[in-house]
Amino acid sequence: VISDPDLTVSSATTPTPTATWGQKVTISWTVRNAGTGAATRTWYDRVYLSQDAALNSDTDILVLSVNAGEFIPLSPDATDPAKGQYTILKEVTLPSGISGPGYFIIVTDATGGQTESHETNNTLAQAVNFSAADLEVTATNTPPLSASWGEQIPLYWKVTNTGSGATSTSWWDMVFLSD
């Protein structure tokens, strides 16, 4: 009989229902060895941001990668499942790139370094709504049709955040003159 480990993300805590670009958030997840053998090779857990619940490492945004080597060997324990699992708690700053409905996808054995009895159950997706600021010039005055070099002219504009999230940093407004 061959005994293989089976790493699964059994639970996770992510910001819900909304997360914002630039926001510092705490993410935690628990990985369990649901197999019949010990996990003895190094593996990595990763957290991605995605627009759908299916992991695509080419398009999803990697926000965190953790070497889970400190948990080796992770033995299964049918009599006490708490002994065959670990929990990781990390704080991350959310990058820009996604707005609207999306997902946090937590992946264990993300690089395939650990041979397992089931290689298709290593992810857990949790829904979230990503909000983002969207700054727009919503009002201006009409500047004079002509002016001389060195002459001051009145300029007025109003910037409004029409997005679903707050601004997380300051910004510069610029005015360009053209003919």
Side-chain angles (χ1 to χ4, degrees):
V1 174
I2 297 175
S3 297
D4 283 328
D6 181 20
L7 301 175
T8 63
V9 181
S10 58
S11 65
T13 302
T14 60
T16 55
T18 302
T20 304
W21 294 0
Q23 177 184 10
K24 283 188 178 184
V25 298
T26 300
I27 300 172
S28 69
W29 64 95
T30 299
V31 172
R32 180 173 170 259
N33 183 353
T36 56
T40 58
R41 295 184 179 178
T42 299
W43 68 90
Y44 289 83
D45 291 350
R46 291 188 175 161
V47 178
Y48 292 87
L49 303 181
S50 179
Q51 292 185 315
D52 56 51
L55 176 64
N56 182 337
S57 59
D58 291 331
T59 58
D60 295 341
I61 300 168
L62 176 65
V63 293
L64 185 63
S65 184
V66 177
N67 181 328
E70 69 183 273
F71 305 107
I72 295 172
L74 185 63
S75 300
D77 191 330
T79 60
D80 185 0
K83 291 182 181 176
Q85 67 183 20
Y86 62 88
T87 299
I88 293 178
L89 177 77
K90 293 286 184 180
E91 183 176 79
V92 297
T93 300
L94 297 179
S96 61
I98 295 178
S99 61
Y103 294 84
F104 284 96
I105 299 179
I106 297 97
V107 186
T108 190
D109 193 23
T111 60
Q114 178 63 59
T115 304
E116 300 180 68
S117 58
H118 297 91
E119 296 285 356
T120 58
N121 62 352
N122 291 2
T123 64
L124 178 68
Q126 292 201 321
V128 66
N129 187 43
F130 293 104
S131 61
D134 185 7
L135 301 178
E136 293 184 31
V137 176
T138 55
T140 62
N141 69 322
T142 303
L145 294 176
S146 65
S148 300
W149 283 107
E151 179 183 351
Q152 290 187 358
I153 59 172
L155 295 176
Y156 163 82
W157 63 94
K158 179 180 179 182
V159 177
T160 304
N161 180 2
T162 60
S164 58
T167 58
S168 59
T169 61
S170 59
W171 68 91
W172 288 88
D173 294 339
M174 295 184 171
V175 176
F176 294 92
L177 299 176
S178 66
D179 52 3

